[in-house]
Amino acid sequence: MAVYNAPLNDMRFILNDVFNAPKFWQNNENLAHVDMETVDMILEEMAKLSKNILLPINRSGDEEGATFEGNGVVTTPTGFKEAYKQYAESGWVGLSGNAEYGGQGFPKMVTMLTEEMVFTANQSFALYPNLTVGATLCLNAAASEEQKQTYLEKMYNGEWAGTMCLTEPHAGTDLGIIKTKAIPNDDGSYDISGTKIFITGGEHDLTENIIHLVLAKTPNAPEGSKGISLFVVPKFLVNADGSLGERNTLAVGSIEHKMGIKASATCVMNFDSAKGWMVGDENTGLSSMFIMMNYERVTMGLQGLGGSELAYQNAALYANDRGQGRSDTQLQSPEKPADAIIHHADVRRMLLNAKANTEASRCFAMYVAKNLDEEKFSTDPEAAQAAAARVALLTPVAKAFLTDKALEATIDCQQVFGGHGYIREWGMEQIVRDTRIAQIYEGTNGIQALDLLGRKVAKNNGKYVTHFLGEIRDFVNNMQADHGIKQATLDAADTIEALTNTVLSNIGERKNEVNGCAVDYMHAFGYLAYSYMFALMVEAANGKEGEFYTNKAKLADYFVGRILPRIDAHAQMVQAGSDPMMNFDLSYFDVPAS
């Protein structure tokens, strides 16, 4: 079985040293109730639960998988129901929930760390409560008071689960063409009919009710995404006293057989005149759902981080134990027939690639989480607006870059095992398979790159980028630490500034420029963001004694020398433009006839 010990010291370093979370909380009247002593206890308890309860059912859950019976019953793997019960009764589902409706009101800066631990220990399990949390975010922001009173408390305490039902067989990214219909009834309800696919946790045996948030179109709705409304559609109807009534006319048609996250039930859901109630105003469904989606996309970055962390810990343990060959410098274990592979530089390269990714990813996720909290809780409208702009710019990076680099890290760590990494019993191949999905759902990473370059950069003529570059340069120019990360980060900022100007000047004449350059631009931007994170960590560690702090600077050295140069390759590919891929005639892509 894989091993996992939550990196609590690294987490506390990010919270306390890098972002000074206690000061941030105390300076915000809406977060003044949060204190580090309580947060420490939360992190300690989640570390125990993740290691002792969730990790032991990770591999068995993958082997058993979620199962579907013809009568519409979906069963989670052995141990999941008991683990979920303990998870829910301990209050984890409602950790960030609105205290008015039974939540605990903790900020994203805290919950991102607990979410990381759950995703590290068991990616499949994490998805069940994660979708519920996302659904409650949407309801809390957009639902009526009656709907909040009806649903939130029981979702926060884990009695009821939640889903998001967007995708249809013919409509994934292009939600404007969904076919699910919502026909109004005289009592204010709607009859919801249609089919949704890829619904995480659409059916399972963990809770007594499942609350589906469904995108659908009312009669005579405007064409495209402007005509989408949002509906709450419970599996069991809820009586006036809060008890469960009759079964709604919705059912799971099947579950998907997937490459990974096999213990997570990914469902085809059929709605057959199911009773639903509109959330928010008519034709505002997409904007309401995006309240949830923005948090979910950051959380997918945490899923990538979790896979990377688990892969690193197990690969590092293996590298310290596995003997093969002799060190290039001197005999390390003369009493043994071979030295441990940790002494080989190439093995260290793979491990350090993963370690640099986990530390930069965690720091970047915390940076975005802090801005989410600033946007949500700040009483200063200007500060909230500035934070919202940073969140808008960086959310696609948090989702796409973190998950792209995470898969790369898990593969590096699998490679450390050599042939054993390909063998099921060592667990590394499951980490790779599970982590792969994070690049695909909640908007594929290519779509995230288009969002970054097309919407967040091109549509406002680079304004968000200019502000972010200004923040980076101000920080780096005032650093006290004497480290190469300073100049490296300034150079990376110059690269992104020039790259942004190049793309903005080309898009008027080259219609495919954004689509053709978006992924490489996103990766170049991601390396700048990571460089900024390493600068923050180096400065936070500066002047502090102990190996823990000196290693922060050493890892930054590795990043500057061995990882950050990739930004130049991506910059060159962006500068090459979209013509190299669009110059082919369509016939080039014809598949030869048999």
Side-chain angles (χ1 to χ4, degrees):
M1 185 181 77
V3 298
Y4 173 54
N5 293 294
L8 295 178
N9 287 337
D10 288 321
M11 292 178 172
R12 293 185 180 110
F13 170 71
I14 294 296
L15 267 179
N16 293 319
D17 298 84
V18 177
F19 292 105
N20 198 353
K23 182 179 179 181
F24 173 69
W25 297 328
Q26 292 307 306
N27 287 343
N28 188 319
E29 63 184 69
N30 292 321
L31 293 173
H33 64 283
V34 184
D35 65 272
M36 199 60 213
E37 182 178 358
T38 303
V39 171
D40 268 331
M41 289 190 293
I42 288 171
L43 298 182
E44 292 279 357
E45 288 305 308
M46 180 52 80
K48 294 175 186 175
L49 187 145
S50 298
K51 177 180 180 178
N52 299 325
I53 304 298
L54 302 183
L55 185 68
I57 58 173
N58 186 39
R59 180 178 168 187
S60 60
D62 178 68
E63 293 175 339
E64 184 179 342
T67 57
F68 170 70
E69 299 174 20
N71 58 0
V73 174
V74 173
T75 304
T76 54
T78 303
F80 269 56
K81 194 170 184 178
E82 294 76 14
Y84 186 86
K85 185 174 187 290
Q86 182 172 341
Y87 186 94
E89 290 178 348
S90 299
W92 294 113
V93 182
L95 189 63
S96 63
N98 188 337
E100 290 184 38
Y101 305 97
Q104 299 178 58
F106 280 93
K108 186 66 175 178
M109 292 180 78
V110 176
T111 61
M112 67 142 281
L113 295 175
T114 61
E115 289 166 353
E116 177 198 330
M117 285 187 259
V118 179
F119 271 120
T120 307
N122 195 319
Q123 294 190 40
S124 287
F125 179 92
L127 294 171
Y128 291 106
N130 175 256
L131 266 293
T132 302
V133 170
T136 61
L137 282 167
C138 187
L139 289 171
N140 183 64
S144 68
E145 181 61 28
E146 181 182 1
Q147 289 169 339
K148 293 178 185 179
Q149 295 285 353
T150 300
Y151 298 110
L152 284 180
E153 183 175 357
K154 291 193 175 181
M155 294 174 77
Y156 286 151
N157 67 26
E159 289 182 55
W160 298 352
T163 73
M164 50 188 287
C165 300
L166 292 76
T167 305
E168 299 182 6
H170 65 287
T173 299
D174 189 1
L175 290 170
I177 60 173
I178 63 172
K179 295 180 180 178
T180 300
K181 298 297 183 184
I183 307 301
N185 298 310
D186 292 339
D187 62 359
S189 68
Y190 288 77
D191 287 345
I192 311 297
S193 297
T195 296
K196 299 288 185 177
I197 65 170
F198 302 153
I199 308 307
T200 300
E203 182 59 66
H204 54 73
D205 59 353
L206 302 179
T207 60
E208 63 181 18
N209 203 5
I210 302 174
I211 311 304
H212 301 283
L213 294 185
V214 183
L215 293 183
K217 289 193 171 186
T218 55
N220 304 316
E223 292 293 325
S225 60
K226 293 181 179 179
I228 297 175
S229 297
L230 177 65
F231 298 87
V232 57
V233 187
K235 173 182 174 181
F236 287 96
L237 300 177
V238 182
N239 296 320
D241 62 359
S243 63
L244 297 185
E246 64 183 18
R247 174 74 182 256
N248 210 346
T249 52
L250 60 91
V252 57
S254 64
I255 63 174
E256 305 294 348
H257 302 282
K258 308 184 296 291
M259 173 182 175
I261 56 165
K262 294 182 178 181
S264 171
T266 305
C267 302
V268 174
M269 298 299 301
N270 298 316
F271 298 85
D272 184 11
S273 294
K275 285 288 180 288
W277 289 264
M278 188 178 288
V279 177
D281 294 329
E282 190 172 5
N283 302 326
T284 64
L286 203 55
S287 60
S288 296
M289 188 66 85
F290 267 103
I291 297 167
M292 174 187 188
M293 290 288 287
N294 282 336
Y295 275 82
E296 290 295 314
R297 285 171 175 170
V298 174
T299 302
M300 291 309 97
L302 299 177
Q303 180 178 355
L305 167 57
S308 182
E309 178 67 39
L310 185 64
Y312 170 78
Q313 288 196 22
N314 285 273
L317 189 68
Y318 182 86
N320 276 285
D321 180 69
R322 175 72 167 173
Q324 290 289 288
R326 291 297 186 183
S327 167
D328 289 336
T329 53
Q330 62 183 27
L331 201 63
Q332 300 293 332
S333 303
E335 76 284 3
K336 297 180 179 179
D339 293 330
I341 62 174
I342 191 67
H343 297 292
H344 301 320
D346 189 57
V347 171
R348 293 197 179 196
R349 173 189 64 82
M350 293 183 283
L351 290 173
L352 288 169
N353 282 348
K355 183 63 171 172
N357 179 69
T358 59
E359 298 220 3
S361 293
R362 184 176 297 113
C363 192
F364 185 69
M366 184 64 74
Y367 176 83
V368 177
K370 183 177 181 181
N371 279 285
L372 282 167
D373 289 339
E374 185 82 53
E375 177 187 4
K376 182 177 180 179
F377 295 108
S378 179
T379 57
D380 179 352
E382 289 188 9
Q385 186 176 9
R390 284 190 290 272
V391 168
L393 176 68
L394 300 178
T395 293
V397 183
K399 196 278 181 182
F401 189 71
L402 266 63
T403 56
D404 277 352
K405 295 301 105 181
L407 183 71
E408 188 179 293
T410 62
I411 291 172
D412 270 338
C413 290
Q414 182 189 36
Q415 191 74 11
V416 169
F417 282 73
H420 291 299
Y422 202 67
I423 302 302
R424 188 160 179 76
E425 67 179 281
W426 289 90
M428 299 305 290
E429 57 86 35
Q430 183 191 343
I431 301 173
V432 173
R433 287 187 289 106
D434 285 350
T435 304
R436 179 66 179 91
I437 185 59
Q439 297 172 291
I440 296 172
Y441 55 16
E442 305 297 347
T444 64
N445 285 1
I447 294 298
Q448 300 304 315
L450 285 173
D451 179 40
L452 172 66
L453 186 55
R455 291 197 182 109
K456 309 304 171 52
V457 178
K459 283 197 173 179
N460 65 11
N461 203 36
K463 178 181 175 182
Y464 289 169
V465 176
T466 299
H467 289 166
F468 188 55
L469 294 177
E471 175 188 327
I472 292 172
R473 286 164 172 154
D474 285 346
F475 176 82
V476 172
N477 284 325
N478 288 288
M479 284 178 66
Q480 298 300 307
D482 182 17
H483 192 280
I485 193 67
K486 294 171 66 173
Q487 190 58 51
T489 304
L490 290 173
D491 291 344
D494 290 344
T495 296
I496 294 302
E497 183 174 55
L499 213 55
T500 303
N501 291 334
T502 296
V503 173
L504 291 177
S505 66
N506 288 341
I507 57 176
E509 298 180 2
R510 302 179 185 176
K511 300 302 182 184
N512 292 303
E513 195 72 2
V514 169
N515 209 313
C517 298
V519 169
D520 285 303
Y521 180 90
M522 184 272 294
H523 278 97
F525 193 99
Y527 286 119
L528 166 65
Y530 272 18
S531 191
Y532 181 28
M533 295 305 107
F534 272 108
L536 289 170
M537 289 187 283
V538 166
E539 184 71 356
N542 186 47
K544 295 183 173 69
E545 295 184 359
E547 188 176 31
F548 176 85
Y549 296 107
T550 58
N551 282 338
K552 299 298 179 186
K554 289 181 180 179
L555 191 60
D557 285 334
Y558 180 83
F559 174 80
V560 170
R562 301 287 305 199
I563 296 178
L564 185 56
R566 299 178 189 180
I567 192 174
D568 296 323
H570 288 290
Q572 288 182 33
M573 286 184 273
V574 172
Q575 289 162 355
S578 58
D579 286 348
M581 61 195 74
M582 301 307 296
N583 283 338
F584 292 86
D585 292 332
L586 193 59
S587 61
Y588 181 82
F589 301 98
D590 289 344
V591 177
S594 58

